[in-house]
Amino acid sequence: MAKRKQIRFFLLFIGVMLIFSAFRTSLFEKVQLGRHLSNDDFNVYQYYEKDDAVFALFTNQDETILGIAERNDEGYGATTIDTDPSNAFDYIDLHDGTHYYLGLRLNHNAQQVAKIQIEGELWSEEHILNDASNGGNRDFFFLDMYNSIEDALTIQTLDQNDQIITSISL
């Protein structure tokens, strides 16, 4: 009987250690990525974790640059674009071999934008950005895409009534 309790305790201990290790690893990756970006005078808008990688959507102090950075077991990488405040939104895309990601920053009327719709020739996907029911409004988003943004024809922002606010053809 005492042996069973020891085995249960040992298995519970192993389980807790595995969970703690996974949490600590992702936290460590976020801290490292944030430190790397802040050393280059960038501010992180949002972190996103996927499998063994941590991503950050970031900008510079005067918000003239928008970028996505990735940190994984193989190292660090980042891509940036110059922003244009006269556009309704700025976006940057990233393809890591199997997944597509889209970083988006709304430049105007962020409180009115509820969804983004991305339409390709043979596909369409919609992502909820701001939900009026929870009262939160953000002007930046990191989206895990189902399809390649390279094939996209149109990116649209929609209001709560699914009316198009802006539409940009690529």
Side-chain angles (χ1 to χ4, degrees):
M1 192 67 146
K3 193 100 163 149
R4 283 188 180 173
K5 284 185 178 181
Q6 288 176 340
I7 291 172
R8 285 184 193 159
F9 177 75
F10 180 72
L11 291 175
L12 180 64
F13 177 76
I14 296 288
V16 168
M17 292 308 293
L18 288 173
I19 291 169
F20 178 73
S21 175
F23 175 74
R24 191 177 70 79
T25 300
S26 69
L27 180 62
F28 177 74
E29 294 293 329
K30 282 182 184 178
V31 168
Q32 290 292 342
L33 185 55
R35 186 175 295 145
H36 186 85
L37 289 169
S38 67
N39 287 343
D40 291 333
D41 292 327
F42 290 113
N43 300 318
V44 175
Y45 281 130
Q46 178 180 1
Y47 290 102
Y48 179 76
E49 296 176 44
K50 174 89 175 197
D51 301 327
D52 294 335
V54 174
F55 298 91
L57 180 62
F58 66 90
T59 190
N60 60 342
Q61 294 291 333
D62 58 0
E63 296 190 346
T64 57
I65 294 175
L66 181 65
I68 296 177
E70 177 182 8
R71 179 157 171 79
N72 58 30
D73 295 338
E74 298 171 13
Y76 167 82
T79 184
T80 62
I81 61 157
D82 293 329
T83 61
D84 183 355
S86 65
N87 291 337
F89 55 86
D90 291 301
Y91 71 93
I92 184 168
D93 62 305
L94 175 70
H95 175 101
D96 72 356
T98 57
H99 299 288
Y100 298 90
Y101 305 98
L102 179 69
L104 179 77
R105 187 188 69 198
L106 303 171
N107 294 330
H108 310 289
N109 305 320
Q111 66 278 8
Q112 295 174 1
V113 176
K115 300 175 188 173
I116 183 170
Q117 184 168 324
I118 303 167
E119 295 181 355
E121 285 183 38
L122 301 174
W123 58 270
S124 176
E125 55 185 83
E126 189 172 276
H127 298 271
I128 296 175
L129 302 183
N130 289 316
D131 183 2
S133 65
N134 69 14
N137 289 314
R138 295 183 304 157
D139 59 354
F140 54 86
F141 305 90
F142 187 86
L143 304 172
D144 193 344
M145 302 290 295
Y146 303 106
N147 297 286
S148 168
I149 190 69
E150 296 162 1
D151 299 332
L153 298 174
T154 306
I155 299 177
Q156 299 175 330
T157 56
L158 308 171
D159 66 12
Q160 296 291 334
N161 299 318
D162 289 335
Q163 299 297 311
I164 297 172
I165 299 172
T166 57
S167 180
I168 295 177
S169 296
L170 305 179

